Amino acid sequence: MMRRASLVVGAVLVGLVLMVSLVGLVWTPYDPARVVPGDRLLSPSATHWLGTDAFGIDILSRIMAGARSVLLVGVFAVGIAALVGVPLGIVAGMNSGWLGRVVVRATDVLYAFPAVLLAILFAGALGSSTTTAMLAIGIATIPVFTRIARAGVLQVMSQDFITASRVSGIGWLRIAWRHVLPNIAPLIGVQASVSFALAILAEAALSYLGLATPPEVPTWGRMLYDAQRHLLNDPHLAIAPAVAIAGAVLGFNLLGDGLRDLLDPRLKEVAE
Amino acid sequence: MPRVVLGRLLTLVLSLAGASVLIFLVVQALPGDLAQVMLGERATPAQIEALRERLGLNRPWVVRYLDWVGDMVRGDLGTSALSGLRVTDLVAGPIRVTGWLVLWSTLGSILVALPLGMWSALRRRHWDGFAVNALSQFGMAVPAFLAGILLVLVVAVRWGWLPANGYVPLARDPGEWARHLVLPVVSLVLVQGALLVRYVRSAFVEVLTEDHITTARSVGWTKLAALWRHGMRQAGLSLVTVLGLQVASLFVGAIVVENVFVLPGLGSMVLRAVVQRDFIVVQSVVMLLVVAVLVVNTVVDLLQAVLDPRIRAKEQR
C-alpha cells in the first residue's frame, strides 16, 4: 500500500511541475523579467499570490518561468547521459574482453567528477551558461547510466534466449537492439526519473553558485540566491523557490521509487 | 593480499592519469583562447601574445600537459596567473577548512544515519520505520545550500545562538572554531545523512532476509541480537561501499555550503578563481579534489577486500 502511495504522490508532483512549466511557456500572471520599482518586496496578496521580489517582479510568474529552465536542463542532461551512457553500458556488458574493461575503467574515472566539479571546470574554461551547466550535469550522469545498463545487460545475457540467438548466428548488434535493449529499458526508465531529481538539485546548486544561467534568466536556484539577502525581513522570497525545488525533487525521486517497485517483484517481496 | 593491494594501486595510478587528462583537456583544449579570455575583449593582439608567451600557451599541448603533471608529481601545483602566488601556498589554508568540514560531516552523517537506518529496517512493517523512511525522502529533496540558508535564518539570525558565517582557525581559538563549524556541518549532515539512511536501511533489510538470520531467529535469537551477531559484517560492508560513493558528493556539498557560510575553503577559492578566470588555479584545485576522491575510493576498495573474504578469494584465483 505504502509502495503504491509513493508512485501516486510522485506522479502527481511530477505532473504538477510539468503543468506549471507548460502553462508558463504561454502564460504567466505578470512578465517574469520586467522590473517594477514601485512593487518591491510586496507580501503575498490577491494581486500577487506569492508576493514580489526585490525588483518588484511577481514571484509566481518567476516560479513558472523557472520551471521551464529546470525541465529544460533536466531533459537535456538526462538525455545526454542516457544516450551516451546506455550504449556504453551495453558494450561493457556484452563485451568481456579489453573493450568492456576499458569502458568500465573510464566510467569509474568519470565517477570522481560530480556535476558541480565539472561545471566549475567548464565555467573556468568557457565561462558559465545554461549550456555548460546542462553539459556538466549530463556528462557527470553518464557513468550512472553505464553502470545500471551494464548490470542489466549482464543479467539478460545469461538467459537462454540470448544463448539461443547467439548460437543461431545473429550478430551482436542485432541481439543488443532486439533483445537486450527492450529488457533493460525499464531499468533505464527508473534511473532516468531518479537522475532527473539529481539533475534538478545540481541545477539549483549551480545557479545558486552563479555557474549556470545569467542572473536575468529566472531559475529557482537563482531566486534562492537573491532571496538570501532579504531573508530577515522578507522570508517569503525564499519559501516559493524552496518549496518548488523540494517538491520537484521529491516528485521525481518518489516516481522513480514507485516505478522500481512496480517493475521489480523481488524488491516488493522484500519490502512487504 | 599483496596482489590485491598492488592491483588497486595500479588502478589508482591509471585513474589519476585519466582524470588529469580529462581536466587538462577541458580547461586548455576547449575552443577559445585562454589568454584572450583572461584579458577580455578590449585586449590588443600584442598584449594577448605577451600573455600567451608568459603562460607558455604557445607550446604544444602535449608538452604543457606533461609539464603540469610532472610539476604536480614533484608537489608543485603551478602559479596563479593573476596573483603570481604559488598554488601550493594558496591552498594551504583552504584545504584545512574543507578538510574539517568534510571530516565532521562524514562522522556526523554516519552517527545519524546508522541508528536511524537500522531502526527503519527493523521496524519496516511499522509506522515509525515508515516515518523514518519518509523523512529521509524529504531530506534528500532539500539542497544542502537551502538547509544552510534556513539554519542561518533560524539558529543564527532569529535565535542568535551561533555565528551566521565566517571561520576561525583551530589554532587561534578552538571554541570559536567549533562554533563556526556547527551550522555548515549540520546542513551537510542533514542532506548526506538522509541519503545514507536510505542506503543503511536497504543494506539491513537485505541482511535481515538472509537465510542465516532467519535460522538464528528461529532458534530464539531476537532480531537485534541476530543482526548484531551475524549481520554486522555484511551490513558494514555495504556501508563502507556507500561511504566511498558519497565522498565525491560530500566534497561538492562542501563547495556549496562553504559559499553559504562564507568559509574560506577550497570551494570558495575555486569559485573565485572561476570568476577571475585564473584557469591554473581552477585546474589544479579541481585536480586536488579529484585526487582526494580517487584516493578515498581506493582506500574503500581495500577495506572491502579486508572485510569481505569473497573478494580476496576472487582476486587470488
Side-chain angles (χ1 to χ4, degrees), chain A residues 163-183:
Chain A
T163 318
S165 15
R166 290 171 84 166
V167 170
S168 52
I170 299 175
W172 75 270
L173 207 61
R174 200 174 150 81
I175 295 180
W177 182 252
R178 288 288 298 272
H179 300 301
V180 174
L181 196 60
N183 274 295

Side-chain angles (χ1 to χ4, degrees), chain A:
Chain A
M1 199 274 292
M2 287 165 178
R3 298 279 129 190
R4 198 41 75 75
S6 69
L7 186 66
V8 173
V9 175
V12 167
L13 283 173
V14 169
L16 205 65
V17 175
L18 280 176
M19 214 174 67
V20 167
S21 67
L22 283 181
V23 173
L25 270 181
V26 288
W27 177 82
T28 48
Y30 295 85
D31 184 345
R34 202 168 62 110
V35 176
V36 186
D39 287 352
R40 289 186 72 239
L41 299 170
L42 295 179
S43 293
S45 65
T47 42
H48 295 281
W49 288 4
L50 299 176
T52 61
D53 68 7
F55 302 101
I57 302 173
D58 180 56
I59 292 180
L60 179 61
S61 305
R62 238 173 133 70
I63 290 278
M64 289 173 76
R68 185 174 43 200
S69 42
V70 164
L71 283 187
L72 198 72
V73 170
V75 166
F76 270 93
V78 173
I80 292 170
L83 281 180
V84 179
V86 172
L88 281 178
I90 292 179
V91 168
M94 291 181 77
N95 184 312
S96 51
W98 64 269
L99 183 63
R101 282 211 294 275
V102 167
V103 171
V104 171
R105 284 279 166 255
T107 339
D108 283 349
V109 172
L110 208 50
Y111 246 115
F113 290 87
V116 172
L117 219 51
L118 268 185
I120 287 175
L121 270 186
F122 284 149
L126 298 170
S128 50
S129 67
T130 314
T131 319
T132 56
M134 279 189 309
L135 265 181
I137 299 172
I139 294 175
T141 315
I142 290 175
V144 181
F145 279 92
T146 305
R147 218 172 250 196
I148 204 107
R150 177 170 175 270
V153 170
L154 288 178
Q155 221 165 34
V156 176
M157 288 305 277
S158 62
Q159 287 176 9
D160 290 341
F161 73 96
I162 297 285
T163 318
S165 15
R166 290 171 84 166
V167 170
S168 52
I170 299 175
W172 75 270
L173 207 61
R174 200 174 150 81
I175 295 180
W177 182 252
R178 288 288 298 272
H179 300 301
V180 174
L181 196 60
N183 274 295
I184 61 169
L187 270 181
I188 308 298
V190 169
Q191 188 55 51
S193 188
V194 175
S195 291
F196 210 105
L198 291 174
I200 295 174
L201 279 177
E203 196 271 345
L206 288 180
S207 44
Y208 174 77
L209 293 176
L211 289 176
T213 46
E216 63 276 10
V217 177
T219 66
W220 299 341
R222 185 75 210 181
M223 289 173 75
L224 273 177
Y225 178 80
D226 292 335
Q228 210 177 342
R229 269 172 302 167
H230 305 276
L231 266 186
L232 196 54
N233 300 318
D234 300 284
H236 76 270
L237 292 187
I239 291 170
V243 170
I245 292 173
V249 173
L250 190 65
F252 279 101
N253 267 337
L254 287 176
L255 185 67
D257 269 14
L259 285 176
R260 183 178 339 205
D261 297 330
L262 200 70
L263 297 168
D264 191 344
R266 195 185 66 92
L267 280 179
K268 205 190 286 179
E269 241 164 63
V270 173
E272 267 162 13

Side-chain angles (χ1 to χ4, degrees), chain B residues 82-127:
Chain B
L82 215 71
S83 59
L85 294 169
R86 287 156 51 86
V87 179
T88 35
D89 297 332
L90 286 173
V91 296
I95 232 173
R96 278 190 213 121
V97 180
T98 306
W100 285 123
L101 191 56
V102 169
L103 180 70
W104 289 122
S105 308
T106 310
L107 291 178
S109 46
I110 295 174
L111 226 58
V112 170
L114 201 54
L116 278 180
M118 272 178 80
W119 181 260
S120 161
L122 286 168
R123 306 272 303 173
R124 66 185 184 283
R125 293 187 190 85
H126 303 269
W127 70 269

